[in-house]
Amino acid sequence: MDYRNILFSVADGIARITLNRPERLNAFNVAMHEELRHALQRVESAAAERTVRVLVLTGAGRAFCAGQDLADRSVDPGAAAPDLGASIELYYGPLVLALRRLSVPVLCVVNGVAAGAGANLPLACDIVIAARSAHFIEAFCNLGLIPDTGGTYFLPRLLGPARATALAMLGDKLSAEQAAAWGLIWKCVDDAQLAAEADALARRLAAAPTLGVLRTRQALQASGLNTLEAQLDLERDFMRELGRSNDYREGVSAFLEKRPPRFTGA
Ligand code: T3D
């Protein structure tokens, strides 16, 4: 597939996807969704071969993503209403699940404004860093919609109900700094430091014990629904599995030999 709306590259175990419609602030159209889906499948295949051990997701130009491209939504009097449910079912929902289930950790680098679906997409990723000049806008309320792309799931869990409700109902700008202070994202860094910080984090994740990282994600995701007993059982099962992994053996050996570990992800 030829990519016209995203950029995709793989080097040194790091896959990078850049949303690339800067003239529309990287708003989603159907072609961009399809390219993204295709690229995520390539990452999944590369993960199976262990040639990719982390995905970095970012945006081109001054924005991260402005959500759905509203120019693709005809609202002319007399025109049939678009089926937004179909759009969620076909594109936005599967995108969230693909990111949450990807076989490598996902680092989201929010380089600028993130609005609508573009504000919630980072929340489906494992680690989010943002430029100090970036901000998050739950813009849906300005259109009479609800926060989609997992917004109604992630926002109350990350922020608590009071902040989630006001952001979702008012659509006020949330600065990257405030987002980090409130626990919506991992950290906010100076714009000039964003690329270097993102590269350093990507390199760390590409060298991490990938299976352990993935089981960590699974256990944390499961904890929202599990009882303490069920969660302790899950921890037991994952620890049993990971204790048999090559990376555990390597981690212990490296510690005892006082040298940096060389994890392979297995
Ligand atoms: O429909 C479905 O499938 C259901 C799913 C919906 C998911 C959603 O995401 S709904 C929410 C859609 N997004 C929005 O409502 C955000 C709309 N954009 C904005 O509010 C503002 O553009 C921003 C706050 C993001 C940035 O503001 P600012 O002042 O920095 O930039 P700007 O001047 O508004 O935008 C720059 C250009 O990008 C401009 O085009 P122009 O005038 O230079 O030709 C603007 O029209 C365009 N643009 C920005 N966002 C979108 C967009 N074009 C199409 N769709 C957009 N979402």
Side-chain angles (χ1 to χ4, degrees), residues 194-205:
L194 186 69
E197 185 84 24
D199 282 353
L201 275 176
R203 280 197 300 275
R204 271 178 70 183
L205 288 168

Side-chain angles (χ1 to χ4, degrees), residues 39-184:
L40 289 173
Q41 283 163 357
R42 284 174 67 182
V43 173
E44 199 58 53
S45 304
E49 292 162 9
R50 294 206 201 100
T51 50
V52 163
R53 287 168 63 192
V54 61
L55 168 66
V56 178
L57 177 65
T58 192
R62 73 175 175 92
F64 173 69
C65 175
Q68 170 62 36
D69 188 329
L70 296 174
D72 285 358
R73 293 286 172 262
S74 171
V75 286
D76 293 339
D83 183 353
L84 302 189
S87 169
I88 301 302
E89 188 168 10
L90 281 174
Y91 299 115
Y92 290 99
L95 174 57
V96 168
L97 293 180
L99 289 169
R100 295 279 279 180
R101 294 172 182 166
L102 202 70
S103 299
V104 292
V106 184
L107 170 64
C108 185
V109 181
V110 179
N111 52 300
V113 64
N120 292 335
L121 192 60
L123 310 184
C125 300
D126 293 299
I127 298 181
V128 186
I129 61 170
R132 200 167 299 282
S133 65
H135 44 268
F136 295 79
I137 311 174
E138 295 295 324
F140 309 89
C141 57
N142 302 325
L143 306 173
L145 299 177
I146 62 162
D148 64 20
T149 316
T152 59
Y153 180 91
F154 297 120
L155 289 170
R157 283 170 172 76
L158 292 168
L159 297 179
R163 286 168 173 163
T165 304
L167 279 182
M169 288 189 176
L170 303 175
D172 286 358
K173 273 186 185 182
L174 182 71
S175 69
E177 208 159 282
Q178 193 69 69
W182 281 2
L184 190 70

